[in-house]
Amino acid sequence: MAFVQSSRFLCFPSARSASPLPSPPPPPPPVSSNATSIHASNASLFSAAGWNCNLSSSSSSSSSSLVNCPYFPGISLLLHLQCPMPQRSKFRQLVVVNAARAEAQTPQLGTRAPEFELPEPLTGRTWKLEDFEGHPALLVMFICNHCPFVVHLKQDIVMLSKTYIQKGLGVVAISSNSVKTHPQDGPDKMAEDARMYDYPFPYLYDETQDVARAYGARCTPEFFLFKKSGRRPFELVYHGQFDDSRPGNNRPITGLDLRHALDCVLSGRLVNIVHRPRLAGLAK
């Protein structure tokens, strides 16, 4: 996907360190005129807040690592360690985070479900939106194989889906990750994943990412719940989180938010839950 509006966050050594620290190397020039800087203890701040911070331990003078952001739609990150390796034992790593926001806009409630026609690697079948016309509601999930935030919820997503499919819900999962950057998310691996976890829903491959862009999906996992009234097209009634659980935050996986939305839709009630698509998690 295309990205715009770069911003920057600088995370410096902890002020609580007992021993004096050498001066950190100067930060690189800003990537944009509106770059913003904040102080934080180290990358663990992001991890505690739910960011997937996989820092490289390369022996070079600096290194970079891609980071997934589960809370802010459309933000992907690159952590660049500015501290020379010999000094890292004395430093809380100086981390420069380059964040970019996706072009796609978050869809508004009431938006019609975009059409799609995508292959299912496990069976070879091609699925379309119209294949779900007979269901009173449709849950569209953007997931992938490798994302730790998907892995954290994967078994519970399967259990929830099996429960609500029996109640008439239509469910489809879509992976839009590039095979070039994430070969573990390719079609063959998707079929293996679907077989291993016994997915009760089709797991489709969006090779061009056109469907992800059409839906406004910007991270994984991302949940879109649509309802159908008579001959009217599917309309978006919930776009939010599974629940408050994140890897490492010790909160139980309940699926509370999504379950409440599903119960409302399938019982003909308005979805009265607060829509919290990952954004609330960072502030907690």
Side-chain angles (χ1 to χ4, degrees), residues 200-267:
F201 44 76
Y203 185 24
L204 312 183
Y205 182 45
D206 177 23
E207 182 176 10
T208 64
Q209 301 181 336
D210 287 344
V211 175
R213 279 189 283 267
Y215 276 78
R218 309 182 206 176
C219 60
T220 57
E222 193 154 9
F223 303 93
F224 298 83
L225 177 60
F226 299 86
K227 75 170 183 178
K228 198 172 191 307
S229 300
R231 296 185 177 182
R232 292 177 60 85
F234 283 113
E235 296 179 349
L236 184 66
V237 293
Y238 179 76
H239 174 216
Q241 65 178 8
F242 192 78
D243 57 24
D244 287 333
S245 183
R246 304 287 188 270
N249 74 356
N250 296 319
R251 298 191 180 186
I253 302 173
T254 63
L256 182 64
D257 294 61
L258 185 55
R259 285 180 184 276
H260 181 80
L262 290 168
D263 289 338
C264 288
V265 169
L266 294 177
S267 63

Side-chain angles (χ1 to χ4, degrees), residues 13 21-25 83-84 87-94:
L21 300 173
S23 300
C83 296
Q87 296 182 1
R88 287 188 191 173
S89 61
K90 300 178 181 178
F91 270 95
R92 302 265 187 179
Q93 286 105 333
L94 170 64

